[in-house]
Amino acid sequence: DAGVIQSPRHEVTEMGQEVTLRCKPISGHNSLFWYRQTMMRGLELLIYFNNNVPIDDSGMPEDRFSAKMPNASFSTLKIQPSEPRDSAVYFCASSSLRGTNEKLFFGSGTQLSVL
Amino acid sequence: KQEVTQIPAALSVPEGENLVLNCSFTDSAIYNLQWFRQDPGKGLTSLLLIQSSQREQTSGRLNASLDKSSGRSTLYIAASQPGDSATYLCAVFSNDYKLSFGAGTTVTVRA
């Protein structure tokens, strides 16, 4: 398996523009997580899905952020409108989570810069 | 809310020395604890997962211990090599189904 695949690897945009980040989880995994990593705040969980259903979105900073998982093999994280403070590395991760002792597998991340 | 702390924030050792990385957490109601490695500009790679019922896990030169009652875990890396240089993060999967990460320990192994 190719692992968790994220695109794009880098995104540079101007304030106010819409940004869409994409993720393909590992085949067979039923849980998907979106994290944001910054130097100041470390790794923060934004939202996680189980069987394509959002379970916990309490980490989504505000209404400008939205996430979807239309099927088991694809998820998007959208920021509209983007702001400079959204600049961070955004990671997608997946797990089988059929029990409670399954490893979490991360993608390589999307480095977002909002100018 | 689960709080995860890693001390020290950074560590520099000569090659061959054993590494000891510490992780503490505030709520002992956990399912498991994972140790991850992150290289610069890359994602996280899971190294070891310790279930709440276990005391330790080993993989090659890596050994992780867990003392759930005191809220502590330690990652030992034996005979460190320059290739071990990276940031190591611990993450606790709590009974409320949330995974909380520490800020990490950045390790530099000098050749």
Side-chain angles (χ1 to χ4, degrees), chain A residues 32-103:
Chain A
L32 183 141
F33 305 77
W34 282 101
Y35 284 90
R36 177 171 68 177
Q37 186 177 39
T38 61
M39 288 293 291
M40 289 295 294
R41 301 172 70 91
L43 267 166
E44 302 174 280
L45 176 64
L46 300 177
I47 186 170
Y48 88 87
F49 295 85
N50 188 254
N51 293 324
N52 311 339
V53 176
I55 302 299
D56 185 350
D57 65 355
S58 59
M60 297 286 262
E62 47 198 275
D63 292 346
R64 297 184 298 106
F65 286 70
S66 62
K68 293 182 180 179
M69 192 164 186
N71 57 62
S73 59
F74 184 66
S75 177
T76 58
L77 177 68
K78 185 178 293 186
I79 308 173
Q80 165 64 16
S82 58
E83 296 182 2
R85 60 193 169 117
D86 301 330
S87 297
V89 181
Y90 290 80
F91 287 106
C92 174
S94 72
S95 176
S96 58
L97 271 186
R98 288 186 177 83
T100 52
N101 287 299
E102 302 290 339
K103 287 185 176 181

Side-chain angles (χ1 to χ4, degrees), chain B:
Chain B
K1 181 188 171 189
Q2 181 75 268
E3 300 285 343
V4 182
T5 304
Q6 291 187 248
I7 295 173
L11 190 58
S12 179
V13 299
E15 183 176 4
E17 192 164 301
N18 296 333
L19 285 163
V20 180
L21 308 180
N22 297 301
C23 173
S24 62
F25 48 96
T26 55
D27 186 352
S28 61
I30 67 170
Y31 284 119
N32 64 57
L33 182 146
Q34 289 187 66
W35 281 94
F36 291 86
R37 169 183 172 139
Q38 185 175 28
D39 292 289
K42 300 288 178 63
L44 283 71
T45 300
S46 183
L47 298 172
L48 290 168
L49 183 150
I50 312 175
Q51 299 178 29
S52 62
S53 59
Q54 297 176 321
R55 297 284 293 181
E56 66 176 348
Q57 274 287 343
T58 299
S59 176
R61 293 183 296 109
L62 305 180
N63 174 275
S65 66
L66 173 65
D67 184 343
K68 195 174 74 165
S69 60
S70 67
R72 293 179 183 176
S73 177
T74 302
L75 177 66
Y76 301 90
I77 304 177
S80 61
Q81 304 167 359
D84 294 328
S85 299
T87 297
Y88 293 83
L89 298 96
C90 72
V92 175
F93 188 40
S94 303
N95 288 3
D96 60 356
Y97 291 90
K98 293 191 177 179
L99 188 66
S100 304
F101 281 85
T105 295
T106 299
V107 171
T108 302
V109 180
R110 307 186 303 271

Side-chain angles (χ1 to χ4, degrees), chain A residues 16 22 30 60-62 104:
Chain A
R22 297 172 177 79
N30 63 343
M60 297 286 262
E62 47 198 275
L104 197 59

